[in-house]
Amino acid sequence: MILNHHPGSIVGWDRFATPTDFDFSPLSQALKQPILLGLFLPIQAGGWSASTLPRTTDWSFEYNKALVLDAEALGFDLVFALSQWLPKGGYGGVFNGQALDSFVTTAALTSVTQKIMLISTIHVLYGPIHPLHLAKYGATVDHISGGRWGINVVTGHRAVEHEMFGWTRIEHDRRYELAAEFIEVLQRLWNDDENFSFEGKSSWKLCSAFVTPKPKYGRPVLVNATGSDAGISFAARYSDIVFITSPGGSDFMSAIELLPAHTERVKQAARDIGREVRTLLNPMVISRETERETWAYHDAIVAHADSDAPLGFSRFDSDAHAWKGRRGIDAPKRRAIGGNIEVIGTPEQVVEQFIQLKKAGVDGLQLSFFDFKKDLEFFGDRILPLMKQVGLRL
């Protein structure tokens, strides 16, 4: 490895080892599965569904801890959750603003789990976080977890998030330039065996900085969610897993029509620079034993649509590209159901839809449910065995 320790110098991303360079890293082991299986934790009030239909879903640590332990027992590969900074009342309605911090929550869960990967969603561009802080914190959690921890890198698409920290929102593509600088500095701190000084385009600096311990497998797992050119370029250079949305909106058939070209675009961007990334999609799964029961459950959720929550989303300006052009995203039905796309049907029908998603280039499923505890239990009992039968899971 060639290192240059002059202030402002950055070693290229391709000089550093990643978790997939180690055969026995948790990420490498997970990637042996035909399709990755994740759970999108509901650490915020309302989970992912703007519906007032009674359910167990809760933002509390104990509830989410129980979900993670259940997911681990079922053989899930990873979990992560969103990170949000919102004023009093949140988005409104069931999304009333009560929310745990993703970083602290998933870091805490590393000490009570054994195999599942835990990904912390972290806004890297604003607030008190400094790359030296995160390098030290991250290396520590990496060791506590045995290499099972990672970062979902986000830059903040809502103006209100930046404003809460006293900033004006940074321009979209500029955010990715700064995030790239942040990640490259992290990699230097995680790999260098000498002090490292740095002064770049951002407001933070390092002078003779050094971090121990070094991560067990080169660096923690890196994830980012994107749909823009700048975001895909960032993902191609740095991420192991790219969290994507469906360009066609939540309707399953629209998603299947447009996802193949979208997933190929993301993967080709990485191949063009000699890397490989995996895509991860967030389906909202609604399933019961029969079609009649399934659609009765669906209709009950929609019948209790929370009319206040959609207004909150429109109140806070966003420049996220991943959601542009999606059909019907603000419709009450869509908000009531939630998720990136809807996967609705009997266990057999759900598995068939999962097969279609895999054929469309989706490498992993980050599942959401309406009633997380009960629906995850149903998934483990009825859907997961069918996934194994058809070869989606080992």
Side-chain angles (χ1 to χ4, degrees):
M1 182 182 297
I2 301 173
L3 298 177
N4 184 331
H5 300 285
H6 295 296
S9 67
I10 291 288
V11 173
W13 53 266
D14 57 343
R15 308 277 185 92
F16 298 116
T18 70
T20 54
D21 293 322
F22 300 84
D23 290 339
F24 295 101
S25 73
L27 179 60
S28 291
Q29 292 298 304
L31 291 176
K32 293 179 180 178
Q33 289 284 352
I35 196 163
L36 288 169
L37 192 57
L39 185 66
F40 213 161
L41 297 176
I43 65 170
Q44 72 286 347
W48 303 101
S49 307
S51 174
T52 60
L53 182 70
R55 49 180 162 160
T56 68
T57 300
D58 186 73
W59 59 267
S60 70
F61 179 77
E62 289 301 321
Y63 186 87
N64 281 275
K65 173 184 172 182
L67 288 179
V68 171
L69 292 175
D70 288 346
E72 182 172 60
L74 291 172
F76 276 56
D77 302 303
L78 73 157
V79 297
F80 62 81
L82 61 67
S83 177
Q84 62 183 24
W85 300 94
L86 294 174
K88 179 180 178 179
Y91 292 117
V94 295
F95 303 132
N96 63 25
Q98 292 278 30
L100 299 174
D101 176 69
S102 175
F103 185 10
V104 176
T105 301
T106 47
L109 289 168
T110 61
S111 67
V112 297
T113 51
Q114 301 296 321
K115 295 183 65 176
I116 199 165
M117 290 184 290
L118 297 119
I119 312 299
S120 294
T121 299
I122 301 176
H123 292 77
V124 298
L125 297 188
Y126 51 77
I129 200 74
H130 185 285
L132 184 57
H133 280 127
L134 189 53
K136 183 69 172 183
Y137 301 159
T140 300
V141 181
D142 178 87
H143 276 258
I144 293 171
S145 68
R148 293 182 294 115
W149 179 78
I151 305 171
N152 176 28
V153 179
V154 292
T155 64
H157 61 97
R158 295 197 182 278
V160 68
E161 296 176 318
H162 296 250
E163 292 164 359
M164 284 183 68
F165 288 93
W167 293 26
T168 300
R169 182 173 57 192
I170 306 167
E171 188 274 328
H172 180 278
D173 288 6
R174 173 66 172 166
R175 296 202 299 268
Y176 280 106
E177 292 177 14
L178 296 175
E181 188 174 270
F182 195 106
I183 296 301
E184 291 186 3
V185 170
L186 284 182
Q187 295 191 125
R188 286 294 299 265
L189 292 168
W190 284 329
N191 283 271
D192 278 16
D193 56 5
E194 300 291 343
N195 294 335
F196 172 54
S197 296
F198 174 81
E199 182 174 352
K201 300 175 182 178
S202 54
S203 60
W204 39 261
K205 305 175 184 178
L206 296 93
C207 181
S208 297
F210 191 75
V211 162
T212 62
K214 302 303 183 186
K216 294 177 70 68
Y217 301 105
R219 60 158 171 73
V221 179
L222 293 181
V223 181
N224 79 294
T226 190
S228 68
D229 290 341
I232 290 172
S233 177
F234 176 92
R237 286 181 287 157
Y238 303 109
S239 294
D240 304 300
I241 299 170
V242 186
F243 193 49
I244 62 171
T245 61
S246 162
S250 64
D251 177 72
F252 184 82
M253 294 311 298
S254 295
I256 289 299
E257 176 187 351
L258 298 177
L259 274 171
H262 185 53
T263 56
E264 178 59 22
R265 176 190 174 204
V266 172
K267 294 178 183 182
Q268 187 60 51
R271 288 194 294 263
D272 286 344
I273 56 173
R275 296 191 70 244
E276 184 176 0
V277 296
R278 270 75 174 188
T279 56
L280 189 67
L281 187 72
N282 169 223
M284 171 63 71
V285 178
I286 297 177
S287 181
R288 288 295 184 264
E289 203 63 51
T290 66
E291 287 192 43
R292 181 177 180 179
E293 291 173 298
T294 298
W295 285 101
Y297 184 26
H298 169 277
D299 293 346
I301 296 170
V302 173
H304 287 78
D306 185 343
S307 59
D308 293 331
L311 300 177
F313 282 89
S314 62
R315 186 168 73 249
F316 299 125
D317 176 55
S318 167
D319 66 354
H321 288 205
W323 301 98
K324 288 183 177 180
R326 284 169 56 87
R327 304 165 196 165
I329 191 168
D330 291 319
K333 174 185 174 181
R334 271 298 306 127
R335 291 295 188 197
I337 299 300
N340 179 234
I341 65 167
E342 299 167 3
V343 173
I344 303 171
T346 66
E348 292 80 7
Q349 291 169 339
V350 167
V351 171
E352 176 56 36
Q353 290 172 78
F354 286 170
I355 291 172
Q356 293 182 59
L357 288 172
K358 180 174 173 56
K359 290 179 179 178
V362 175
D363 300 312
L365 305 169
Q366 182 79 355
L367 305 180
S368 294
F369 300 104
F370 178 75
D371 191 334
F372 270 79
K373 185 178 186 299
K374 294 180 179 180
D375 292 349
L376 178 60
E377 182 178 354
F378 182 82
F379 177 88
D381 289 342
R382 292 292 293 116
I383 299 174
L384 187 56
L386 297 179
M387 292 180 69
K388 293 178 179 179
Q389 287 182 23
V390 301
L392 288 178
R393 296 289 292 176
L394 301 178

